[in-house]
Amino acid sequence: MQIVETSRNTKETEISLKFNLKGSGQNKIDTPLKFFNHMLEQLSYHGKFDIQLCAKSLDFDPHHIVEDVAIVLGNAFRESLGDKRGIVRYASVFLPMDDALCHCALDISGRAYCKCSFVLKDERTSDFETVLVPHFYNTFAQNAGITLHIRQIDGYDTHHIIEASFKAFARALRAASSIDEASVGEFPSTKGVL
C-alpha cells in the first residue's frame, strides 16, 4: 500500500491529487463546489485517508468536476491497494445522521458494479446538484474496481441523506481496505487473485 500522486488534465478540468490510504484523515480539498468539498472532507476524515485535492473547472460544468474527481479518486484508491494481499475485502456499514439513515456494502473485488438507491426530494443542496450523488459513486466504483451498494434507508433532509451516505461509504472503504490479521499476505479469494 502506497501514497499515490496523480493528475488528470482534460479540456474540461484540471485535477491534481495526493492520496494516502493509511493516513489519519488530514485533507486539503479545493473544488469549485462548496458542498462537494464538504462531502470529500467527510470521505477523508471518516475513511482516515489523507487527501490533497485541487480541481479546477475549465468549462464551468459541475458534472465534469464531480465525474473527474471520482475518476481520479477511484484510480488512486485502486492503485494504493497494490495486489490487495491481506485486505479484509468486504465491509458493510449502517450510518445514521439525525433523520437520515444510509447503508453502504462493498466488495473490493476487481469487478466494477454500483447500485445506488436514493430518494432525494431536492434537486439541489447548497451549490450541488443532487443528481450527481449516484454519478459520483458509480464513477468511483468503475475506476476503483469495486462492487458498491449504497442506499438511503430513511430520511427527509437532502443534506443529511447525502452526508450520511458519504460517511457510510468512507467507513466501509476504510474497513474493507484494512489488513485482516488472520490472512496477512494472502489473497482474500479462493481464486488466489483479485
Side-chain angles (χ1 to χ4, degrees):
M1 297 183 191
Q2 58 187 336
I3 296 172
V4 176
E5 292 189 60
T6 188
S7 63
R8 177 178 171 85
N9 296 307
T10 71
K11 293 180 180 179
E12 299 163 345
T13 64
E14 291 179 355
I15 298 173
S16 63
L17 171 68
K18 184 176 181 181
F19 180 85
N20 182 3
L21 182 74
K22 297 300 176 189
S24 60
Q26 299 297 308
N27 61 74
K28 184 176 180 183
I29 294 166
D30 181 20
T31 83
L33 303 169
K34 291 183 294 183
F35 183 80
F36 191 40
N37 292 345
H38 180 43
M39 294 304 101
L40 295 174
E41 289 164 359
Q42 301 307 313
L43 178 65
S44 170
Y45 179 81
H46 289 276
K48 297 305 176 199
F49 311 128
D50 292 343
I51 299 175
Q52 291 181 29
L53 172 75
C54 181
K56 296 179 181 177
S57 177
L58 304 181
D59 64 359
F60 307 104
D61 188 336
H63 178 100
H64 294 142
I65 282 289
V66 172
E67 179 176 69
D68 287 0
V69 166
I71 289 170
V72 171
L73 280 171
N75 283 329
F77 181 79
R78 186 190 72 247
E79 186 180 336
S80 69
L81 290 171
D83 66 8
K84 305 183 188 84
R85 286 180 190 266
I87 65 168
V88 172
R89 179 177 166 178
Y90 298 98
S92 176
V93 173
F94 288 89
L95 195 133
M97 182 176 173
D98 301 336
D99 57 287
L101 177 62
C102 288
H103 176 240
C104 178
L106 61 85
D107 174 11
I108 303 175
S109 61
R111 297 184 306 277
Y113 179 81
C114 180
K115 182 171 183 182
C116 293
S117 300
F118 292 101
V119 179
L120 301 172
K121 64 181 178 63
D122 299 311
E123 291 184 8
R124 300 181 72 83
T125 182
S126 182
D127 62 344
F128 191 80
E129 297 172 51
T130 57
V131 70
L132 296 176
V133 175
H135 186 55
F136 172 85
Y137 289 129
N138 182 62
T139 305
F140 185 102
Q142 294 298 318
N143 288 275
I146 64 172
T147 298
L148 173 63
H149 291 260
I150 189 159
R151 62 193 171 118
Q152 170 191 346
I153 296 171
D154 204 353
Y156 55 84
D157 183 297
T158 300
H159 184 130
H160 292 168
I161 294 163
I162 296 171
E163 187 166 341
S165 78
F166 266 84
K167 289 175 177 177
F169 178 55
R171 288 182 172 262
L173 283 175
R174 176 183 171 191
S177 63
S178 66
I179 296 299
D180 184 346
E181 294 302 326
S183 304
V184 174
E186 297 176 14
F187 284 109
S189 171
T190 55
K191 296 176 184 177
V193 66
L194 276 180

